[in-house]
Amino acid sequence: MSSDRHSSLEPLTIDGWRWQPFLDHACTSLQRYQLEPYPIAPEFLLQQSSTGSKAKPVSVTTATWACSTPKLRQVRAACVQAGAAASVLNFVVNPHCTYDLPFFGADLVTLPAGHLLALDLQPALKQDKAHTEAVWERLRPLHQRWQIDLPSGGPIPAEAEPYFSPGFLWTRIPLGEEGDALIKSAVMPAFQEYLALYLDLVDQAEQVSESRASALLEGQKRYTAYRAEKDPARGMLSRFHGSDWTEAYIHTVLFDL
Ligand code: DBV
């Protein structure tokens, strides 16, 4: 990336970044809304450093794209490009609590050991049928369609259970041609369909009562606190950019509710 970014809404392009087409698709899909920039401090809009050995340094870019819309409190993409060491798109949509909507979450992670890919519409109130049923009914067919093409990612921690939906698409696939082919034939269309469903739910959502909004807000806070506490990227980001920067990024940008 040639110059520093000044606004979270500026198009974000990272040379050679594997997940660029996914971010581009998301940004294009959002163009139908009135997008407002989401305030992000300059050191989190773009951070560059280096990893690897002294003899073989690898440059690392971590950049953030973000916006808000009348119904969405925060839409943000955390993007990491570190050559063969890591390539990540973590994309989360956090709706305003005045709408009965889930979170959209995508975690697209390429590490030397392989790709690790997660997609979901995640509940703020998992035990609440008014919050989940209409979403899950439409999400299940998408999950069934795409998970069969993708191996399971394996067990996830039991404590994460309250924050996942039954439509959680979760896979680990190998690097190389086989993985590339699956990303193209299954992961990309799944991402597109999950996001299209999410934005359709956003379009249909109507304002809820104040008491409903405060219940949703409590659920969103529990979800956000969990994600911040357990962020699996903490180790990687600390290695790349230091632990002070990483803690501030996690708590004031990625999961800032
Ligand atoms: N994960 C994040 C953010 C990231 C990020 C903000 C900025 O929440 C990346 C980057 N996730 C990331 C990395 C790893 C994972 C793993 C780098 C690998 C960690 C490692 O192996 O060193 C889904 N992501 C994971 C894991 C799960 C998820 C279950 C495995 C954890 C483990 O093995 O311990 N993340 C989780 C999830 C969503 C999500 C359900 C929402 C869809 O974003």
Side-chain angles (χ1 to χ4, degrees):
M1 216 172 319
S2 50
S3 60
D4 279 22
R5 304 174 61 239
H6 298 287
S7 152
S8 66
L9 261 183
E10 263 174 57
L12 174 48
T13 307
I14 305 177
D15 283 344
W17 182 46
R18 159 186 294 281
W19 302 111
Q20 186 76 53
F22 289 74
L23 178 63
D24 291 347
H25 173 78
C27 292
T28 303
S29 304
L30 288 160
Q31 292 306 318
R32 64 183 196 250
Y33 303 121
Q34 293 168 276
L35 303 188
E36 296 288 339
Y38 192 88
I40 306 254
E43 67 270 31
F44 302 121
L45 277 181
L46 177 65
Q47 185 64 221
Q48 286 175 304
S49 42
S50 109
T51 189
S53 65
K54 262 218 174 105
K56 265 199 173 176
V58 175
S59 76
V60 181
T61 297
T62 299
T64 311
W65 186 91
C67 70
S68 60
T69 80
K71 290 183 178 177
L72 304 174
R73 186 188 70 79
Q74 187 204 45
V75 181
R76 79 355 172 233
C79 311
V80 180
Q81 164 66 315
S87 183
V88 177
L89 170 60
N90 183 266
F91 182 70
V92 174
V93 180
N94 182 337
H96 280 295
C97 64
T98 46
Y99 295 91
D100 210 320
L101 287 166
F103 295 88
F104 178 89
D107 202 18
L108 308 175
V109 180
T110 305
L111 297 172
H115 307 286
L116 182 159
L117 309 163
L119 262 184
D120 201 7
L121 269 51
Q122 301 195 313
L125 300 173
K126 190 162 182 176
Q127 300 307 326
D128 183 317
K129 283 199 172 159
H131 182 62
T132 58
E133 221 164 30
V135 178
W136 292 359
E137 198 176 293
R138 296 179 65 187
L139 186 58
R140 274 198 188 94
L142 304 190
H143 180 249
Q144 279 164 8
R145 168 64 192 91
W146 297 112
Q147 187 77 65
I148 46 163
D149 288 359
L150 298 163
S152 162
I156 46 161
E159 61 191 17
E161 211 277 328
Y163 308 106
F164 289 81
S165 88
F168 182 50
L169 189 76
W170 168 234
T171 187
R172 294 176 195 260
I173 56 180
L175 299 186
E177 273 176 39
E178 186 190 341
D180 289 347
L182 282 171
I183 289 171
K184 201 170 156 199
S185 67
V187 181
M188 177 54 112
F191 180 81
Q192 291 172 338
E193 291 185 11
Y194 273 56
L195 186 60
L197 169 57
Y198 187 75
L199 297 181
D200 197 50
L201 294 167
V202 171
D203 292 343
Q204 290 174 0
E206 288 177 21
Q207 285 211 349
V208 299
S209 70
E210 251 177 69
S211 68
R212 181 67 178 166
S214 62
L216 287 163
L217 181 59
E218 285 316 301
Q220 290 190 350
K221 284 182 174 166
R222 276 193 298 275
Y223 173 94
T224 308
Y226 174 81
R227 292 285 307 263
E229 191 198 337
K230 301 289 177 184
D231 193 339
R234 184 173 259 115
M236 178 190 80
L237 291 173
S238 299
R239 273 196 312 286
F240 291 166
H241 305 299
S243 76
D244 290 352
W245 182 94
T246 297
E247 290 309 315
Y249 189 47
I250 290 172
H251 289 284
T252 69
V253 179
L254 296 179
F255 303 107
D256 66 347
L257 186 62

